[in-house]
Amino acid sequence: MENKIKQNCRFLLFFTLFVFVFPFSISYSSEKNNDSTYVNSIYNEAWELAPTDFEKCKTLSNSAINISRKIGWIKGEVKALELSKKKNYSYGIAESHSKLGVSYFHISDFPNAYKNFDISYKQFEKLNDKRGIRNCLNFLGILKTTIGNYDDGIAYFNKALEISESLNDKLGIGTQLGNIGRVNFEIKNYKKAIEYYNNAIDVFSEINDDFNKSIFTANSGLAYLKLKDYNHAYFNFKSALNYSEKLSNAFRIAHQNKNIGDLKYAMALDEDLQNTNLTKKNLLKESIDFTTKALNIFDNLEIKEEIQNCKLSLSKSYEEIGDYTNALVYFKQARSLQDSIYSIENKKAIAKLEIAQQLKIKDKEIEILSQAKEYQNFVKWTVISITILFFFISVLFIYMFIRKKKQNFELEKNIRIRKETESLLLKNEKELNKHKNKLEELIAIRTENLENEIKERKRTEEDLLIAVERSETSSKAKSTFLANMSHELRTPLFGILGYSEILSKEINDLEKRSMAEGIYRTGSRLLNTLSMILDFARVESDRYEVICREVDVMPEINAIFNSFKGTAAIKGLEYELKAQKDSEILNTDITLIRVIVENLINNAIKFTEKGSVIVETESLDNNEFILRVRDTGIGINKKNIPLIFKEFRQISEGTNKAYPGTGLGLSITKRYVKILNGEINVKTALGFGSTFEIKFTKNQIIVKQSA
């Protein structure tokens, strides 16, 4: 959809250039006068054909641009400017700068285009030439919006609109209203965009301009589609299609068919419409029909970007229907077009960056170098911080181990003392038998020894209680520490992932781009690990809150199931959801349910190299809901089943294990099931797959409890 918007914007720019530039294209170069006149005549002929024969219009325009480059159009415009300056011809100077800006715009030299439009604008202001001022304002607005400075762009278009209204120029008024609507669309102010588009359509209706009516009617439909107002969107797309067919404009006809196809696809996937399976399937078939019509036309026009967009849309529609064969075929065809389109988009992105740099201060390069150095320092200190953190955690664990060992040593010492005391008591008893005459004295001594022993035992018991309390406090502090540090680590990781993703798109060097992509992959894996540790730490430190309400869990299970379709397809697995009912109402915490289902499906696909992964739901008559995840993966040895629910434990442990992970997934899953008063069971055999079954009571009352 976004590519379609960009195409409409490009076409609007193409239209604006023809309206305000080419009627004034008169060459001042004496040496190239004949060639320049020829180029202008081609442009004029192209404009005349635009409403009725867009394909020929496009061919003529491309031909004119190629000729202008061969004959040195810009050199001719520069010579015309020099001639006007020699003759002190103010209007000629302003007009030459305007045409020179257009020439630079044709070859995508946006900085020089901006410079010349600005000079031309100031010259026309001195001459008080309203049309010239209006044209320059329009060009400056287009350049500003091209680099993303939408506020300045709207300001320029509003000034151009005021001048067009003062001149009573209907075509200019409609064009500027459409420009403002386009900018509002790009900044996602869709209601305001519709308002300006409709005003532009009214103006073009007054002058019977069906060509522009088709463009802005379609743009208005796109805005309605963004607002999910499907009736208005469909009406506008059909109207735009009728205008395009009336003009026999193949390019616009293809676009409107694509718009309607996208509309049907959006309606099929909109859960708010509560589509039945049959309705959804019919909508997807309609989407495929309209998109196929658009694809056939774009194939004839040889517009690669639009061909790719159509094939991607068809791939998604076939995937939703369940026709994975066609989905894969169209996806591969779309990917084959990606490289050539990607190079074009890179050139456009580079051009935008160039003009952005020209509009900033002259010290921008120094600032960029400084930012690069700061980024390097940030990465360096991040690595150092992580190293220090792991060192600190290691020291903490060693300290706790030594402390515990010391406590055990003291306990053994107390036991040894007690045994020695008992031995001494036995010896004293023997001595009492031998010394009956000193019985009272020995009894007193014995009593005193017993009292001391009791005091020692009480002191020992108190020390043991204190040691246990300290151990529990230390364990809870550890979990709290892990939770806090996981948050602190995850925040910079988001930054690292964001920058690495930007780098992978911006860097042209394949080796460096591969390095950036490697940073993104490893960072994503680390972020997933930290998320697991955070969930575990929240449960351990009792820093969680269970929010229960009556909720339909089936849409959530369906959404999670669909999110793993791509992973299962890549591994070539049979992947199926067998739901007994379309709706299951449980009194539960949907956030915990989501984690439970994601962990079980992820594990099933992860440990299954071939065969199938089946997700089943079942409702029993005794008010119970059952979720099963069956796979034909590696299975588990029965003696190892207790280990899979232990924290940080996996059957394949070590740095070279076949299935890497934190070992927290099933541990967290079991704890969440226990919190929700559920029951989890596993049936498995080594080499024959596993079945995990979770059972919940539908209308139970859940109270927050420690896992």
Side-chain angles (χ1 to χ4, degrees), residues 37-285:
T37 303
Y38 176 59
V39 171
N40 284 326
S41 67
I42 295 176
Y43 275 131
N44 290 330
E45 184 179 354
W47 172 243
E48 293 296 331
L49 290 170
T52 57
D53 192 345
F54 180 79
E55 289 77 7
K56 191 171 182 180
C57 167
K58 182 180 68 174
T59 302
L60 289 172
S61 299
N62 290 334
S63 175
I65 292 172
N66 292 332
I67 294 172
S68 68
R69 287 173 176 167
K70 291 179 181 178
I71 67 174
W73 177 294
I74 291 177
K75 293 180 181 179
E77 298 295 352
V78 172
K79 289 185 178 180
L81 176 61
E82 291 173 354
L83 182 62
S84 296
K85 287 181 178 179
K86 286 180 181 179
K87 294 184 178 181
N88 197 23
Y89 181 39
S90 298
Y91 183 84
I93 293 172
E95 195 69 46
S96 295
H97 276 295
S98 177
K99 290 196 291 294
L100 192 57
V102 173
S103 300
Y104 279 117
F105 190 88
H106 280 316
I107 62 173
S108 298
D109 188 348
F110 295 123
N112 279 319
Y114 180 87
K115 177 181 176 181
N116 281 279
F117 288 146
D118 187 58
I119 295 172
S120 177
Y121 171 73
K122 292 175 181 177
Q123 289 290 331
F124 279 124
E125 273 194 326
K126 291 180 181 179
L127 296 170
N128 196 26
D129 186 324
K130 290 187 176 181
R131 290 189 181 275
I133 293 171
R134 189 270 310 278
N135 294 341
C136 290
L137 288 170
N138 184 74
F139 295 138
L140 290 170
I142 292 171
L143 283 174
K144 286 289 186 179
T145 54
T146 299
I147 63 171
N149 194 338
Y150 300 113
D151 291 336
D152 288 349
I154 289 177
Y156 282 125
F157 290 141
N158 275 320
K159 290 179 182 178
L161 176 61
E162 291 176 1
I163 295 174
S164 296
E165 289 174 342
S166 68
L167 296 172
N168 196 26
D169 182 353
K170 297 293 185 180
L171 185 60
I173 292 171
T175 301
Q176 301 311 320
L177 288 171
N179 285 340
I180 298 171
R182 175 174 57 84
V183 177
N184 277 286
F185 187 95
E186 290 181 1
I187 62 177
K188 299 183 179 180
N189 191 349
Y190 301 121
K191 291 184 178 179
K192 205 161 188 177
I194 291 171
E195 179 183 347
Y196 279 100
Y197 283 147
N198 290 340
N199 289 337
I201 293 169
D202 291 338
V203 173
F204 290 126
S205 296
E206 291 179 18
I207 59 177
N208 296 321
D209 189 342
D210 289 340
F211 179 77
N212 285 306
K213 281 168 64 178
S214 70
I215 294 174
F216 291 108
T217 302
N219 289 347
S220 180
L222 292 173
Y224 278 121
L225 181 56
K226 287 289 185 181
L227 296 173
K228 294 187 177 182
D229 187 347
Y230 301 121
N231 291 332
H232 281 96
Y234 181 76
F235 175 79
N236 280 35
F237 292 150
K238 286 294 291 184
S239 298
L241 179 60
N242 291 335
Y243 292 134
S244 301
E245 289 175 345
K246 180 179 177 182
L247 297 170
S248 299
N249 188 323
F251 180 83
R252 301 304 307 166
I253 292 171
H255 257 296
Q256 303 322 314
N257 278 292
K258 180 65 166 59
N259 285 339
I260 297 173
D262 290 343
L263 169 66
K264 298 293 184 179
Y265 180 85
M267 292 174 66
L269 268 62
D270 193 342
E271 295 180 357
D272 295 335
L273 295 180
Q274 298 180 349
N275 293 321
T276 63
N277 289 334
L278 180 60
T279 303
K280 180 179 179 181
K281 191 171 184 180
N282 289 336
L283 287 170
L284 289 170
K285 286 182 177 179

Side-chain angles (χ1 to χ4, degrees), residues 493 522-533 602 661-662:
L493 270 176
T522 55
S524 297
R525 180 178 172 185
L526 179 56
L527 180 60
N528 183 58
T529 301
L530 287 175
S531 297
M532 281 291 190
I533 294 175
N602 182 58
T662 61

Side-chain angles (χ1 to χ4, degrees), residues 397-409:
F397 277 112
I398 293 171
Y399 168 75
M400 292 176 62
F401 174 77
I402 294 173
R403 184 173 180 179
K404 187 174 181 181
K405 190 173 182 180
K406 184 178 179 181
Q407 290 173 350
N408 291 336
F409 176 77

Side-chain angles (χ1 to χ4, degrees), residues 379-418:
V379 173
K380 180 180 73 176
W381 285 109
T382 299
V383 173
I384 293 173
S385 299
I386 293 173
T387 305
I388 293 173
L389 174 63
F390 278 109
F391 174 76
F392 177 74
I393 292 174
S394 300
V395 171
L396 179 63
F397 277 112
I398 293 171
Y399 168 75
M400 292 176 62
F401 174 77
I402 294 173
R403 184 173 180 179
K404 187 174 181 181
K405 190 173 182 180
K406 184 178 179 181
Q407 290 173 350
N408 291 336
F409 176 77
E410 291 177 354
L411 183 60
E412 290 174 357
K413 182 180 178 181
N414 291 333
I415 293 172
R416 186 173 64 253
I417 292 172
R418 187 177 66 179

